[in-house]
Amino acid sequence: HILEVVERLCRRVIILHRGKIVADSTMAELKAIRREDTVEEVFSRLVEQVDTEKIAGEILACSVA
């Protein structure tokens, strides 16, 4: 979806991540709760996946090299 268009046209949004609802609210509530300016920023924060083991491995590899 083009989230900029969703933000302009929709009053309420449900954000799914891996088949689970991670947000169900109005646009204004989502932006206020997450302290973000756009729904795209809210979406990015909610579905962001951090692979800590991978990051740790990359840091270790850089420090060894």
Side-chain angles (χ1 to χ4, degrees):
H1 304 297
I2 300 172
L3 295 178
E4 180 182 316
V5 174
V6 171
E7 190 168 355
R8 283 188 280 141
L9 296 178
C10 301
R11 291 186 194 135
R12 187 170 195 86
V13 66
I14 294 174
I15 298 175
L16 300 172
H17 180 60
R18 297 185 180 202
K20 295 183 181 180
I21 296 173
V22 294
D24 178 1
S25 191
T26 66
M27 296 291 177
E29 289 171 341
L30 274 179
K31 292 190 285 186
I33 290 167
R34 298 300 304 180
R35 295 189 177 117
E36 302 291 350
D37 293 328
T38 67
V39 172
E40 187 168 359
E41 291 171 331
V42 172
F43 177 82
S44 294
R45 296 277 186 194
L46 289 171
V47 301
E48 183 178 85
Q49 294 295 306
V50 177
D51 185 348
T52 55
E53 288 182 293
K54 180 182 176 190
I55 293 169
E58 291 171 353
I59 292 170
L60 181 61
C62 287
S63 65
V64 172

